[in-house]
């Protein structure tokens, strides 16, 4: 009898019965032309669906001010909701569980992506430093406009409406994107947040915006349909760190327990930048122990350390990004300990509807 593979053991996540612990991580693909999901996404997501497997969409904008990259999907218009429906249906037809990651990029944007060419909004008016892209290019961001205190409830409401739209589109739930230096994290971290109102200063104040969003979304669609992604240790966009990431992470997970949300999805401390692993003494274990719901980790995992993370109780589920992109049948490959396709970084954000998107072979097509 073959030994049990921890990643392939079943898990009950609230009302959802998962058949394994391997999660498709949210991955921006730049193929939703005009911010509308396209039919080619039906094949992309269904290729990566297994019965009882959890998938999280690429980051999906909550409003016309949420965009910071070309051709990323949104979920704030009727057209976008309708375009998501056949994609969700395809995942459900194969027995998958599908969550929509909802986001706002905040200051990680340019005038050209904003309505009427206006300034991107943020917690601050401090501009984001030039950012090196995966293809080696450097992008400049437009100086942001600091949100007025009385404007913040409107942004919270945009997250609520996006969550409602996601449920209308058929998704099983939403993941609130609170990581990677985007708008929510621009409030959370003290290297960015220089506010003097009730959303700035103390740790508790800096967390208010995130927690108001969680509360509003949970009330709208039910906490059993809500997850959040956090990266307290990361510095994904320059000068986007925090002076005490352990305290930030622990405060947040304890506060999240009050809402009873489904899961907390956290980026490993070793992932200081996209695709770069470093040695670090930091650990997510204190946060894992403090959080009452399902715990998901992400950040450079392979088969061996994913199995170890599950078997040791370090996490419930493991999210895989680049290797799941390149191996649409990743759970089967892990089961057989089969060789993995290598990913091609140059096609991650290539706007072709096939190349680097749906043309990675599965074992059955080799």
């Amino acid at each position: 009898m073959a030994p049990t593979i921890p990643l392939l053991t079943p898990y009950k996540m609230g009302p959802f019965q998962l058949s394994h612990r391997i999660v498709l991580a949210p991955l921006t693909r730049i193929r939703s032309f005009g911010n509308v999901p396209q039919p080619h996404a039906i094949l992309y997501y269904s290729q990566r669906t297994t019965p009882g497997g959890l998938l999280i969409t690429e980051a999906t904008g909550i409003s016309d001010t949420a965009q910071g990259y070309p051709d990323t999907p949104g979920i704030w218009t009727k057209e976008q909701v309708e375009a998501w429906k056949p994609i969700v249906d395809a995942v459900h037809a194969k027995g998958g569980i599908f969550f929509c990651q909802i986001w706002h990029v905040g200051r990680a944007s340019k005038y050209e992506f904003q309505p009427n060419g206006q300034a991107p909004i943020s917690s601050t008016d401090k501009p984001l430093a030039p950012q090196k892209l995966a293809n080696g290019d450097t992008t400049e961001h437009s100086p942001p406009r600091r949100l007025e205190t009385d404007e913040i409830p409107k942004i919270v409401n945009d997250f609520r409406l996006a969550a409602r739209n996601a449920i209308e589109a058929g998704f099983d739930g939403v993941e609130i994107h609170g990581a990677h230096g985007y708008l929510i994290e621009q409030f959370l971290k003290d290297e960015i947040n220089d506010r003097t109102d009730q959303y700035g200063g103390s740790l508790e104040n800096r967390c208010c915006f995130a927690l108001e969003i969680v509360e509003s979304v949970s009330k709208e669609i039910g906490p059993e349909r809500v997850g959040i992604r956090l990266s307290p240790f990361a510095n994904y966009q320059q000068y986007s760190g925090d002076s005490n990431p352990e305290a930030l992470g622990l405060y947040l997970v304890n506060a999240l327990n009050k809402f009873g949300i489904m899961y907390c999805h956290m980026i490993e401390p070793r992932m200081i930048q996209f695709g770069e692993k470093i040695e670090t003494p930091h650990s997510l274990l204190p946060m894992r122990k403090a959080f009452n719901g399902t715990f998901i980790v992400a950040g450079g995992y392979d088969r061996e350390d994913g199995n170890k993370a599950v078997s040791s109780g370090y996490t419930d589920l493991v999210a895989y990004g680049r290797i799941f992109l390149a191996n649409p049948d990743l759970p089967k490959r892990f089961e057989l300990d089969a060789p993995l396709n290598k990913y091609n970084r140059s096609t991650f954000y290539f706007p072709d509807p096939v190349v680097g998107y749906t043309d990675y072979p599965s074992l059955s097509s080799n």
Side-chain angles (χ1 to χ4, degrees):
M1 185 174 176
T4 300
I5 300 170
L7 280 167
L8 297 178
T9 55
Y11 176 78
K12 191 164 186 346
M13 187 179 79
F16 306 106
Q17 184 60 57
L18 305 184
S19 61
H20 57 77
R21 315 286 185 114
I22 301 164
V23 179
L24 175 66
L27 298 163
T28 291
R29 304 312 316 275
I30 314 289
R31 289 168 170 88
S32 294
F33 308 132
N35 304 127
V36 178
Q38 298 294 306
H40 46 248
I42 296 171
L43 178 58
Y44 172 76
Y45 283 109
S46 62
Q47 281 178 330
R48 288 156 183 80
T49 303
T50 50
L54 174 62
L55 298 85
I56 306 168
T57 69
E58 60 209 280
T60 301
I62 61 164
S63 70
D64 59 357
T65 69
Q67 306 303 303
Y69 305 91
D71 298 323
T72 52
I75 198 159
W76 73 88
T77 71
K78 183 70 174 173
E79 181 187 11
Q80 291 163 339
V81 171
E82 292 301 313
W84 273 117
K85 286 181 178 178
I87 304 168
V88 177
D89 288 347
V91 170
H92 284 160
K94 292 184 71 174
I97 293 101
F98 207 12
F99 273 54
C100 180
Q101 189 190 65
I102 53 177
W103 77 333
H104 194 300
V105 302
R107 67 177 183 167
S109 188
K110 304 177 184 179
Y111 299 139
E112 65 193 78
F113 296 122
Q114 295 297 311
N116 305 313
Q118 65 194 37
I121 56 175
S122 181
S123 64
T124 180
D125 56 10
K126 292 185 295 187
L128 186 62
Q131 186 179 357
K132 188 173 182 181
L133 302 176
N135 63 6
D137 293 343
T138 299
T139 184
E140 301 273 346
H141 295 94
S142 301
R145 177 180 69 82
R146 184 194 309 270
L147 282 164
E148 299 293 337
T149 306
D150 61 5
E151 292 180 288
I152 291 174
K154 165 69 166 61
I155 311 302
V156 173
N157 194 53
D158 286 341
F159 273 94
R160 180 186 68 83
L161 293 174
R164 185 169 75 184
N165 286 345
I167 298 304
E168 184 186 336
F171 285 103
D172 298 295
V174 300
E175 175 177 286
I176 298 164
H177 196 345
H180 295 168
Y182 296 120
L183 182 61
I184 291 175
E185 201 169 80
Q186 288 160 30
F187 278 82
L188 291 174
K189 293 191 170 177
D190 59 13
E191 270 191 14
I192 314 170
N193 187 337
D194 56 358
R195 303 179 71 90
T196 57
D197 63 2
Q198 64 262 40
Y199 293 97
S202 69
L203 173 59
E204 293 79 7
N205 284 4
R206 287 182 278 115
C207 291
C208 276
F209 179 57
L211 296 174
E212 286 177 6
I213 291 169
V214 170
E215 181 177 25
S216 181
V217 168
S218 296
K219 285 180 176 177
E220 181 66 36
I221 65 173
E224 74 283 358
R225 296 187 179 277
V226 179
I228 190 168
R229 197 178 213 206
L230 300 169
S231 57
F233 295 95
N235 185 18
Y236 275 91
Q237 295 170 35
Q238 284 179 309
Y239 312 115
S240 299
D242 191 80
S243 61
N244 193 339
E246 289 93 347
L248 175 62
L250 271 174
Y251 178 82
L252 279 168
V253 295
N254 279 299
L256 291 170
N257 285 336
K258 299 170 190 172
F259 302 109
I261 65 171
M262 177 59 52
Y263 70 75
C264 182
H265 180 183
M266 298 196 86
I267 310 298
E268 282 289 349
R270 65 192 180 192
M271 302 305 292
I272 193 73
Q273 291 285 358
F274 292 110
E276 297 177 18
K277 285 169 69 171
I278 61 166
E279 293 298 320
T280 172
H282 302 300
S283 172
L284 298 177
L285 191 58
M287 285 143 241
R288 192 287 197 269
K289 289 179 176 178
F291 185 64
N292 292 339
T294 293
F295 202 74
I296 306 174
V297 297
Y301 277 89
D302 58 19
R303 181 181 186 270
E304 181 182 359
D305 57 9
N307 279 323
K308 182 179 178 182
V310 171
S311 64
S312 68
Y314 180 76
T315 192
D316 298 307
L317 309 173
V318 181
Y320 290 88
R322 289 161 292 167
I323 64 171
F324 212 152
L325 180 161
N327 297 273
D329 55 349
L330 188 66
K332 174 58 71 174
R333 289 180 189 255
F334 278 2
E335 178 187 352
L336 302 175
D337 201 9
L340 299 181
N341 300 321
K342 289 183 170 58
Y343 54 82
N344 182 353
R345 186 180 295 277
S346 69
T347 62
F348 282 0
Y349 310 113
F350 188 59
D352 193 282
V354 175
V355 176
Y357 192 59
T358 56
D359 60 346
Y360 284 104
S362 61
L363 289 170
S364 59
S365 61
N366 284 340

